[in-house]
Amino acid sequence: MTRIAVAGGGIGGLAAALHLLQAGFDVQVYEQAPRIGEVGAGIQISPNAARLLIRLGLKSALDRAGVRPQAVHQKRWDDGRTLQRAPLGAAVEETFGAPYYHVHRGDLVELLAAALPPERLHLSHRLVDVAETGGRVTAQFENGASAEADLLVGADGIHSRVRHILFGAEKPRFTGCVAWRGLVPAERVRHLGIEVASHNWMGPDGHVVHYWVGAGRFMNVVCVTEHGAWTDESWTQKGRVDEALARYEGWHPMVRGLIEAFPETFVWALHDRLPLPRWSEGRITLLGDACHPMLPFMAQGAAQSIEDGATLAAVLTAMQGDVPAALARYEALRKPRATRLQEASSANRIRFHLPDGPAQEQRDAALAASGDRSMANIGWLYAHDAGQGT
């Protein structure tokens, strides 16, 4: 039986482990933190990822923890005028065969971890080195432990140690964008009457996204603005609510009301990265943010990491455990799609932040005329089945 070590116990690593285990492989997950958890707030699980999680038997857990939005509602920054309102809910589920969920990151990590047999999850294992000899990969950990496997998957995030070992230090590019996030208890914003949808307010040099998470107990809010001075990429740095509010002077009262309701806010700088030339070396490969980090403007970061794990399990099965052949196929299948989404996310950064003027008017007219979220336009993303391995 092929033995697989997964470095990283976040969304991508845990989902990959479940897909690989379901396919019959011997999988062990090594997470550097002393407990399973996820910083951050909300994420969007579109049908391309939801169908994969449902196959893992997680539908009931997702229904309990998540929220099913009825639409994507894109609006103008100052007067709240609708630029486009595209259906989600039943329409998307009927068209693509799987629901659309909004979920708190922590809830998703917990339900993934609960589905994994506890003996396969090893906490407080910080990877320090990886070596491949004689058709085996050996991982060394800071606590003195080591693990041997036929394949090692680096699912260790945007600051991946595995990627650093394989390909050297990277050079992230600061986009100039800074984001504030807040998780607002429902009772603080109940009076605003916010529909169960994904809301995107587009304005000059910034945009604001918000939606319900935690089974409707919280409103997840992310405010992105250009020309920020903050350069730290960490998600855990505390920010100041008054600074966030000042950036959105003149914006619609609902936007300002959401920011004013923040119990606290965290601030981070958005960095972009060039696509890697390749993801694999010998019997070592990368997954999720470790190989294709993307700006959050397509809401696909977590979904694409879930897709990675499903495809990896499918190609390993098809190649009957021939690891080098499977990794070549995995990369050939996944890299073009992930790169397309990296590029689309970067393009949305510009599109969402247009100043009022001719380009903004052209964008708004295009949204009203056909819409980038129509079923026909979004089908390439939502209809994809990464578990087919073809």
Side-chain angles (χ1 to χ4, degrees), residues 32-370:
Q32 65 179 0
R35 64 186 63 84
I36 285 292
E38 184 79 16
V39 297
I43 54 172
Q44 304 193 41
I45 300 297
S46 46
N48 49 301
R51 68 168 48 87
L52 304 174
L53 297 177
I54 288 168
R55 282 183 200 151
L56 294 174
L58 300 175
K59 186 176 185 300
S60 294
L62 283 168
D63 286 341
R64 288 193 301 271
V67 173
R68 295 198 190 190
Q70 297 305 302
V72 176
H73 197 171
Q74 303 195 73
K75 308 175 189 179
R76 183 170 164 80
W77 66 284
D78 53 356
D79 59 12
R81 175 166 53 88
T82 294
L83 304 176
Q84 177 183 243
R85 189 179 187 278
L88 292 176
V92 158
E93 186 169 2
E94 289 168 7
T95 303
F96 300 111
Y100 197 114
Y101 292 100
H102 290 156
V103 187
H104 189 286
R105 285 178 176 271
D107 291 341
L108 181 55
V109 167
E110 287 179 8
L111 70 87
L112 288 168
L116 188 70
E119 67 274 11
R120 294 186 178 275
L121 179 59
H122 309 274
L123 302 176
S124 299
H125 278 64
R126 181 185 296 274
L127 186 84
V128 293
D129 201 9
V130 178
E132 182 181 345
T133 54
R136 294 287 186 273
V137 181
T138 301
Q140 300 288 341
F141 301 98
E142 191 176 65
N143 62 7
S146 64
E148 190 176 86
D150 301 296
L151 165 63
L152 184 132
V153 180
D156 49 345
I158 202 161
H159 301 295
S160 171
R161 176 63 181 165
V162 178
R163 182 188 60 227
H164 180 90
I165 293 168
L166 291 185
F167 304 123
E170 62 165 356
K171 293 183 178 179
R173 303 172 297 179
F174 178 45
T175 63
C177 290
V178 170
W180 286 268
R181 62 179 173 87
L183 197 64
V184 183
E187 58 270 18
R188 291 194 177 205
V189 291
R190 193 83 69 190
H191 64 285
L192 296 176
I194 302 172
E195 74 170 313
V196 181
S198 176
H199 302 264
N200 181 16
W201 302 75
M202 293 185 279
D205 291 335
H207 76 288
V208 175
V209 172
H210 59 93
Y211 49 84
W212 296 102
V213 296
R217 297 189 307 276
F218 299 96
M219 179 68 71
N220 177 66
V221 187
V222 180
C223 308
V224 180
T225 184
E226 300 274 351
H227 314 305
W230 192 267
T231 58
D232 193 337
E233 201 172 15
S234 170
W235 273 48
T236 58
Q237 293 290 334
K238 285 248 183 126
R240 288 173 49 185
V241 175
D242 63 328
E243 288 182 353
L245 194 61
R247 290 282 183 171
Y248 292 89
E249 185 69 35
W251 283 58
H252 192 275
M254 183 177 288
V255 171
R256 292 183 58 80
L258 285 167
I259 298 171
E260 288 169 346
F262 283 3
E264 60 183 355
T265 186
F266 296 85
V267 60
W268 81 100
L270 297 180
H271 289 70
D272 204 0
R273 288 158 172 80
L274 292 170
L276 286 173
R278 66 187 193 280
W279 295 356
S280 304
E281 185 74 43
R283 291 174 171 268
I284 306 169
T285 195
L286 301 172
L287 178 151
D289 282 351
C291 54
H292 53 69
M294 56 189 70
L295 294 172
F297 306 147
M298 282 291 290
Q300 280 293 308
Q304 291 307 299
S305 71
I306 293 166
E307 284 191 12
D308 287 345
T311 297
L312 184 59
V315 297
L316 281 164
T317 300
M319 300 293 182
Q320 298 182 338
D322 183 342
V323 171
L327 295 187
R329 183 64 178 155
Y330 162 68
E331 190 168 322
L333 289 170
R334 292 297 305 150
K335 195 169 185 295
R337 181 169 166 85
T339 300
R340 180 179 180 180
L341 280 159
Q342 285 176 299
E343 292 169 350
S345 298
S346 294
N348 272 351
R349 174 257 177 120
I350 297 169
R351 199 165 65 98
F352 289 173
H353 298 175
L354 291 173
D356 286 352
Q360 163 261 321
E361 291 170 1
Q362 185 178 12
R363 176 202 66 194
D364 294 355
L367 286 172
S370 60

Side-chain angles (χ1 to χ4, degrees), residues 14-35:
L14 291 170
L18 291 171
H19 281 113
L20 291 162
L21 191 63
Q22 188 180 68
F25 297 101
D26 181 3
V27 187
Q28 304 290 329
V29 178
Y30 301 91
E31 163 58 34
Q32 65 179 0
R35 64 186 63 84

